[in-house]
Coordinates of all heavy atoms in Angstrom, one line a residue:
Chain A
T73 N 49.3 -121.8 -222.7 CA 49.3 -120.5 -221.9 C 49.7 -120.8 -220.5 O 49.0 -121.7 -219.8 CB 48.0 -119.8 -222.0 OG1 47.6 -119.7 -223.4 CG2 48.0 -118.4 -221.4
T74 N 50.7 -120.1 -219.9 CA 51.0 -120.3 -218.5 C 50.5 -119.1 -217.8 O 50.1 -118.1 -218.4 CB 52.5 -120.5 -218.3 OG1 53.1 -119.2 -218.6 CG2 53.1 -121.5 -219.2
I75 N 50.7 -119.1 -216.4 CA 50.3 -118.0 -215.6 C 51.0 -116.7 -216.1 O 50.4 -115.6 -216.1 CB 50.7 -118.3 -214.1 CG1 50.3 -117.1 -213.2 CG2 52.2 -118.5 -214.0 CD1 48.8 -117.0 -213.0
E76 N 52.2 -116.8 -216.6 CA 52.9 -115.6 -217.1 C 52.2 -115.0 -218.3 O 52.4 -113.8 -218.6 CB 54.4 -115.9 -217.4 CG 55.3 -116.3 -216.2 CD 55.3 -117.7 -215.9 OE1 54.4 -118.5 -216.4 OE2 56.3 -118.2 -215.3
G77 N 51.4 -115.8 -219.0 CA 50.8 -115.3 -220.2 C 49.4 -114.7 -220.0 O 48.7 -114.3 -220.9
L78 N 49.0 -114.6 -218.8 CA 47.6 -114.2 -218.5 C 47.5 -112.7 -218.3 O 46.5 -112.1 -218.7 CB 47.0 -114.9 -217.3 CG 46.7 -116.4 -217.5 CD1 46.1 -117.0 -216.2 CD2 45.8 -116.7 -218.7
G79 N 48.5 -112.1 -217.7 CA 48.4 -110.6 -217.4 C 48.8 -109.8 -218.6 O 49.2 -110.4 -219.7
G80 N 48.7 -108.5 -218.5 CA 49.2 -107.6 -219.5 C 50.7 -107.6 -219.6 O 51.4 -107.9 -218.6
P81 N 51.2 -107.2 -220.7 CA 52.7 -107.2 -220.9 C 53.4 -106.2 -220.0 O 54.5 -106.4 -219.6 CB 52.9 -106.7 -222.4 CG 51.6 -106.1 -222.8 CD 50.5 -106.7 -221.9
D82 N 52.7 -105.1 -219.6 CA 53.2 -104.1 -218.7 C 53.1 -104.5 -217.2 O 53.3 -103.6 -216.4 CB 52.5 -102.8 -219.0 CG 51.0 -102.9 -218.9 OD1 50.5 -104.1 -218.8 OD2 50.3 -101.9 -218.9
G83 N 52.7 -105.7 -216.9 CA 52.6 -106.1 -215.6 C 51.2 -105.9 -215.1 O 50.9 -106.2 -213.9
A84 N 50.3 -105.4 -215.9 CA 48.9 -105.3 -215.5 C 48.3 -106.6 -215.2 O 48.6 -107.6 -215.8 CB 48.1 -104.6 -216.6
L85 N 47.5 -106.7 -214.1 CA 46.9 -107.9 -213.7 C 45.7 -108.2 -214.6 O 44.9 -107.3 -214.9 CB 46.5 -107.9 -212.2 CG 47.6 -107.5 -211.2 CD1 47.1 -107.6 -209.8 CD2 48.8 -108.4 -211.4
S86 N 45.4 -109.5 -214.8 CA 44.2 -109.9 -215.5 C 43.1 -109.8 -214.4 O 43.3 -109.7 -213.2 CB 44.3 -111.4 -216.0 OG 44.2 -112.2 -214.9
P87 N 41.8 -109.8 -214.9 CA 40.7 -109.6 -213.9 C 40.8 -110.7 -212.8 O 40.5 -110.4 -211.7 CB 39.5 -109.8 -214.8 CG 39.9 -109.4 -216.2 CD 41.4 -109.8 -216.3
V88 N 41.1 -111.9 -213.2 CA 41.2 -113.0 -212.2 C 42.4 -112.7 -211.3 O 42.2 -112.9 -210.0 CB 41.3 -114.4 -212.9 CG1 41.5 -115.5 -211.9 CG2 40.1 -114.7 -213.8
Q89 N 43.5 -112.4 -211.8 CA 44.6 -112.1 -210.9 C 44.3 -110.9 -210.0 O 44.6 -111.0 -208.7 CB 45.9 -111.7 -211.8 CG 46.5 -112.9 -212.5 CD 47.5 -112.5 -213.6 OE1 47.4 -111.4 -214.2 NE2 48.4 -113.4 -213.9
D90 N 43.7 -109.9 -210.5 CA 43.3 -108.8 -209.7 C 42.3 -109.2 -208.6 O 42.5 -108.8 -207.4 CB 42.7 -107.7 -210.6 CG 42.5 -106.4 -209.8 OD1 43.5 -105.9 -209.2 OD2 41.3 -106.0 -209.7
A91 N 41.4 -110.1 -208.9 CA 40.4 -110.5 -207.9 C 41.1 -111.3 -206.8 O 40.7 -111.2 -205.7 CB 39.3 -111.3 -208.6
F92 N 42.1 -112.1 -207.2 CA 42.8 -112.8 -206.1 C 43.4 -111.9 -205.1 O 43.4 -112.1 -203.9 CB 43.8 -113.8 -206.7 CG 43.3 -115.1 -207.0 CD1 42.4 -115.4 -208.0 CD2 43.7 -116.3 -206.3 CE1 41.9 -116.6 -208.3 CE2 43.2 -117.5 -206.5 CZ 42.3 -117.7 -207.5
R93 N 44.0 -110.8 -205.7 CA 44.6 -109.8 -204.8 C 43.6 -109.1 -203.9 O 43.7 -109.0 -202.7 CB 45.4 -108.8 -205.6 CG 46.1 -107.8 -204.7 CD 47.0 -106.9 -205.4 NE 47.9 -106.3 -204.5 CZ 48.2 -105.0 -204.5 NH1 47.7 -104.2 -205.4 NH2 49.0 -104.5 -203.6
E94 N 42.5 -108.7 -204.5 CA 41.5 -107.9 -203.8 C 40.8 -108.8 -202.7 O 40.5 -108.2 -201.6 CB 40.4 -107.5 -204.8 CG 40.7 -106.4 -205.7 CD 41.0 -105.1 -205.0 OE1 40.3 -104.8 -204.0 OE2 42.0 -104.4 -205.4
E95 N 40.6 -110.1 -203.0 CA 39.9 -110.9 -202.0 C 40.8 -111.7 -201.1 O 40.4 -112.6 -200.4 CB 39.0 -111.9 -202.8 CG 37.9 -111.2 -203.5 CD 36.8 -110.5 -202.6 OE1 36.6 -111.1 -201.5 OE2 36.3 -109.5 -203.0
H96 N 42.1 -111.4 -201.1 CA 43.1 -112.1 -200.3 C 43.0 -113.6 -200.6 O 42.9 -114.5 -199.7 CB 42.8 -111.9 -198.8 CG 44.0 -112.3 -197.9 ND1 45.2 -112.4 -198.3 CD2 44.0 -112.7 -196.6 CE1 46.0 -112.8 -197.3 NE2 45.3 -113.0 -196.3
G97 N 43.0 -113.9 -201.9 CA 42.9 -115.3 -202.4 C 44.2 -116.0 -202.4 O 44.3 -117.1 -203.0
L98 N 45.2 -115.4 -201.7 CA 46.5 -116.1 -201.7 C 47.3 -115.7 -200.4 O 47.1 -114.6 -199.9 CB 47.4 -115.9 -202.9 CG 47.9 -114.4 -203.1 CD1 49.1 -114.4 -203.9 CD2 46.8 -113.6 -203.9
Q99 N 48.1 -116.6 -200.0 CA 49.0 -116.3 -198.9 C 50.4 -116.5 -199.3 O 51.1 -115.6 -199.8 CB 48.6 -117.0 -197.6 CG 47.3 -116.5 -197.0 CD 46.9 -117.2 -195.7 OE1 47.7 -117.8 -195.0 NE2 45.6 -117.0 -195.4
C100 N 50.9 -117.8 -199.3 CA 52.3 -118.0 -199.8 C 52.4 -118.0 -201.3 O 53.5 -117.8 -201.8 CB 52.7 -119.4 -199.3 SG 52.1 -120.8 -200.3
G101 N 51.3 -118.1 -202.0 CA 51.3 -117.9 -203.4 C 51.8 -119.1 -204.2 O 51.8 -119.1 -205.4
F102 N 52.1 -120.2 -203.5 CA 52.6 -121.3 -204.3 C 51.6 -122.0 -205.2 O 51.8 -122.4 -206.3 CB 53.3 -122.3 -203.4 CG 54.1 -123.3 -204.1 CD1 55.4 -123.0 -204.5 CD2 53.7 -124.6 -204.4 CE1 56.2 -123.9 -205.3 CE2 54.5 -125.5 -205.2 CZ 55.8 -125.1 -205.6
C103 N 50.4 -122.1 -204.6 CA 49.3 -122.7 -205.4 C 48.6 -121.8 -206.4 O 47.9 -122.2 -207.3 CB 48.2 -123.2 -204.4 SG 47.3 -121.7 -203.7
T104 N 48.9 -120.5 -206.2 CA 48.2 -119.5 -206.9 C 48.2 -119.5 -208.4 O 47.1 -119.5 -209.1 CB 48.6 -118.1 -206.4 OG1 48.7 -118.1 -205.0 CG2 47.7 -117.0 -206.9
P105 N 49.3 -119.8 -209.1 CA 49.3 -119.8 -210.5 C 48.3 -120.9 -211.0 O 47.5 -120.7 -212.0 CB 50.7 -120.2 -210.9 CG 51.5 -119.6 -209.8 CD 50.7 -119.8 -208.6
G106 N 48.3 -122.1 -210.4 CA 47.4 -123.1 -210.8 C 45.9 -122.7 -210.6 O 45.1 -123.0 -211.5
F107 N 45.6 -122.1 -209.5 CA 44.2 -121.6 -209.3 C 43.9 -120.6 -210.3 O 42.7 -120.6 -210.9 CB 44.1 -121.0 -207.9 CG 43.8 -122.0 -206.8 CD1 44.7 -122.6 -206.0 CD2 42.4 -122.4 -206.6 CE1 44.4 -123.5 -205.0 CE2 42.1 -123.4 -205.6 CZ 43.1 -123.9 -204.8
V108 N 44.8 -119.6 -210.5 CA 44.4 -118.5 -211.5 C 44.1 -119.1 -212.9 O 43.2 -118.7 -213.5 CB 45.5 -117.4 -211.5 CG1 45.3 -116.5 -212.6 CG2 45.6 -116.7 -210.1
V109 N 45.0 -120.0 -213.3 CA 44.8 -120.6 -214.6 C 43.4 -121.4 -214.6 O 42.6 -121.3 -215.6 CB 46.0 -121.5 -215.0 CG1 45.7 -122.3 -216.2 CG2 47.2 -120.7 -215.2
S110 N 43.2 -122.2 -213.6 CA 41.9 -122.9 -213.6 C 40.7 -122.0 -213.6 O 39.8 -122.3 -214.3 CB 41.9 -123.8 -212.3 OG 42.9 -124.9 -212.4
V111 N 40.8 -121.0 -212.8 CA 39.7 -120.1 -212.7 C 39.4 -119.3 -214.0 O 38.3 -119.1 -214.4 CB 39.8 -119.1 -211.5 CG1 38.8 -118.0 -211.6 CG2 39.8 -119.9 -210.2
T112 N 40.5 -119.0 -214.7 CA 40.4 -118.3 -215.9 C 39.7 -119.2 -216.9 O 38.8 -118.8 -217.7 CB 41.9 -118.0 -216.5 OG1 42.5 -117.2 -215.5 CG2 41.8 -117.3 -217.8
A113 N 40.1 -120.5 -216.9 CA 39.4 -121.5 -217.8 C 37.9 -121.7 -217.4 O 37.0 -121.7 -218.3 CB 40.1 -122.8 -217.8
L114 N 37.7 -121.8 -216.1 CA 36.3 -121.9 -215.7 C 35.4 -120.8 -216.1 O 34.3 -121.0 -216.7 CB 36.3 -122.0 -214.1 CG 34.9 -121.7 -213.5 CD1 34.0 -123.0 -213.7 CD2 35.0 -121.4 -212.0
L115 N 35.9 -119.5 -215.9 CA 35.0 -118.4 -216.3 C 34.9 -118.2 -217.8 O 33.9 -117.6 -218.2 CB 35.6 -117.1 -215.6 CG 35.5 -117.1 -214.1 CD1 36.1 -115.8 -213.5 CD2 34.1 -117.3 -213.6
Q116 N 35.8 -118.7 -218.5 CA 35.6 -118.7 -220.0 C 34.5 -119.5 -220.4 O 33.7 -119.2 -221.2 CB 36.9 -119.1 -220.7 CG 37.6 -118.0 -221.4 CD 39.1 -118.2 -221.5 OE1 39.6 -119.3 -221.6 NE2 39.8 -117.1 -221.3
E117 N 34.3 -120.7 -219.7 CA 33.3 -121.6 -220.1 C 32.0 -121.3 -219.4 O 30.9 -121.5 -220.0 CB 33.7 -123.1 -219.7 CG 32.9 -124.1 -220.4 CD 33.2 -125.5 -219.9 OE1 34.3 -125.8 -219.6 OE2 32.2 -126.3 -219.8
N118 N 32.1 -120.8 -218.2 CA 30.9 -120.6 -217.4 C 31.1 -119.2 -216.7 O 31.5 -119.2 -215.6 CB 30.8 -121.7 -216.4 CG 29.5 -121.6 -215.5 OD1 28.8 -120.6 -215.7 ND2 29.3 -122.5 -214.6
P119 N 30.7 -118.2 -217.4 CA 31.0 -116.8 -216.8 C 30.2 -116.5 -215.5 O 30.7 -115.6 -214.8 CB 30.5 -115.9 -218.0 CG 30.3 -116.7 -219.2 CD 30.0 -118.1 -218.7
K120 N 29.1 -117.2 -215.3 CA 28.4 -116.9 -214.0 C 28.2 -118.2 -213.2 O 27.1 -118.6 -213.1 CB 27.0 -116.2 -214.4 CG 27.2 -114.8 -215.0 CD 27.4 -113.7 -214.0 CE 27.7 -112.4 -214.7 NZ 28.8 -111.7 -214.1
P121 N 29.2 -118.7 -212.7 CA 29.1 -120.0 -212.0 C 28.3 -119.8 -210.6 O 28.5 -118.7 -210.0 CB 30.5 -120.4 -211.8 CG 31.3 -119.2 -211.8 CD 30.6 -118.2 -212.7
S122 N 27.6 -120.8 -210.2 CA 27.0 -120.7 -208.9 C 28.1 -121.1 -207.9 O 29.1 -121.5 -208.2 CB 25.9 -121.8 -208.8 OG 26.5 -123.1 -208.9
E123 N 27.7 -120.9 -206.6 CA 28.7 -121.2 -205.6 C 29.1 -122.7 -205.6 O 30.3 -123.0 -205.5 CB 28.1 -120.9 -204.2 CG 28.9 -121.5 -203.0 CD 29.4 -120.4 -202.1 OE1 29.1 -119.2 -202.2 OE2 30.3 -120.8 -201.2
T124 N 28.1 -123.6 -205.9 CA 28.5 -125.0 -206.0 C 29.4 -125.2 -207.2 O 30.4 -126.0 -207.1 CB 27.2 -125.8 -206.1 OG1 26.3 -125.4 -205.1 CG2 27.4 -127.3 -206.0

Side-chain angles (χ1 to χ4, degrees):
Chain A
T73 308
T74 69
I75 182 70
E76 289 93 340
L78 294 179
D82 50 351
L85 304 185
S86 76
V88 174
Q89 288 168 331
D90 188 56
F92 269 70
R93 181 172 197 225
E94 286 295 322
E95 294 291 329
H96 195 27
L98 64 152
Q99 290 181 20
C100 80
F102 195 79
C103 68
T104 312
F107 272 97
V108 168
V109 171
S110 292
V111 170
T112 302
L114 165 72
L115 294 180
Q116 250 149 35
E117 195 189 325
N118 182 359
K120 293 280 173 227
S122 67
E123 167 117 10
T124 311

